[in-house]
Amino acid sequence: DIQMTQSPASLSASLGETVTIECLASEDIYSNLAWYQQKPGKSPQLLIYDASSLQDGVPSRFSGSESGTQYSLEINSLQSEDAATYFCQQHHDYPYTFGAGTKLELK
Amino acid sequence: QIQLVQSGPELKKPGESLKISCKASGYTFTDYAMQWVKQAPGKGLQYMGWINTQTGKPTYADDFKERFVFSLETSASTAYLQINNLKNEDTATYFCARLEFGVFDYWGQGVMVTVSS
């Protein structure tokens, strides 16, 4: 199975700041990576697919990028509603696997 | 609008069985596969597998090949997850999610399952 190593496990940032969350794939996943946001007690919501394509309705302050097997989610101009846990997921090979998650706290 | 509505919370004893439903609306049910994802309390997301909504063929991730059964009632646009011989470690929230091009674009609200004697 493809392993997704996500970092950091948690981070704290202030309103208006920019944060970056990363996922390292154990092998080449050819940009087949998605990012999800999950708020407490809610189901995950798709933010980005194919590494950098923004899902309809997702604010443009969210962006995705890649460098080799390293994938990044950047959130610009943090808003209070961005406090959540973020997960990456590879969809290159079955079984699809998730990163362990990054809990983002707003100061 | 597209919705996946799951059944309500469950409290079960070890050894019992349960069946969770996931009713789809707002799209043609058989055009998209349905996935199942487990989230233990305070933990991350664990992929359980998927069911082909056209053929009814299920595919299970390794950790879910025993005791777990995916099924459909296509006429009702509903997918089911059955868990047999429940164990304490099955305590979790279970999500259904629609699959499009490898990503889960719509999710159910989740079903909290508690297994306790």
Side-chain angles (χ1 to χ4, degrees):
Chain A
D1 297 0
I2 296 174
Q3 306 302 313
M4 302 301 297
T5 303
Q6 187 171 343
S7 62
S10 64
L11 75 158
S12 181
S14 300
L15 293 176
E17 284 189 6
T18 295
V19 298
T20 300
I21 298 167
E22 296 183 333
C23 264
L24 179 66
S26 60
E27 60 186 82
D28 198 339
I29 57 171
Y30 301 94
S31 304
N32 292 313
L33 184 104
W35 291 97
Y36 300 88
Q37 177 193 67
Q38 186 180 30
K39 296 184 178 179
K42 300 293 187 182
S43 54
Q45 300 295 309
L46 177 64
L47 298 175
I48 286 171
Y49 60 95
D50 293 346
S52 60
S53 297
L54 204 63
Q55 175 71 346
D56 290 346
V58 174
S60 59
R61 63 179 183 275
F62 291 89
S63 63
S65 62
E66 62 180 286
S67 176
T69 58
Q70 178 97 333
Y71 293 83
S72 300
L73 171 69
E74 184 175 280
I75 313 172
N76 294 311
S77 302
L78 276 172
Q79 307 293 307
S80 57
E81 61 264 30
D82 298 335
T85 300
Y86 294 84
F87 296 94
C88 63
Q89 174 235 333
Q90 65 82 17
H91 54 96
H92 170 65
D93 195 22
Y94 189 85
Y96 301 145
T97 44
F98 292 92
T102 296
K103 186 173 183 178
L104 172 60
E105 174 193 88
L106 277 293
K107 291 179 185 174
Chain B
Q1 75 281 23
I2 294 169
Q3 283 189 303
L4 298 177
V5 178
Q6 297 185 243
S7 46
E10 300 269 5
L11 175 60
K12 293 288 188 180
K13 291 182 166 52
E16 293 184 337
S17 296
L18 65 75
K19 194 170 187 178
I20 294 167
S21 65
C22 170
K23 182 170 177 59
S25 61
Y27 71 97
T28 301
F29 182 67
T30 51
D31 281 352
Y32 299 85
M34 193 68 77
Q35 320 293 303
W36 290 93
V37 176
K38 175 184 178 181
Q39 187 169 37
K43 301 295 185 181
L45 303 170
Q46 186 176 13
Y47 183 69
M48 300 175 68
W50 65 288
I51 186 164
N52 184 317
T53 53
Q54 293 186 340
T55 65
K57 180 179 185 293
T59 302
Y60 303 97
D62 285 347
D63 288 347
F64 300 96
K65 289 184 175 177
E66 307 286 334
R67 304 188 298 112
F68 297 83
V69 180
F70 305 151
S71 62
L72 303 172
E73 185 178 354
T74 305
S75 61
S77 299
T78 301
Y80 298 95
L81 165 64
Q82 180 168 327
I83 310 175
N84 298 317
N85 187 21
L86 281 159
K87 302 179 185 303
N88 289 333
E89 54 263 37
D90 295 327
T91 293
T93 297
Y94 293 87
F95 296 98
C96 61
R98 193 182 82 159
L99 179 73
E100 182 175 40
F101 303 120
V103 297
F104 308 156
D105 61 347
Y106 288 91
W107 294 65
Q109 82 276 20
V111 175
M112 186 176 296
V113 173
T114 303
V115 183
S116 175
S117 54

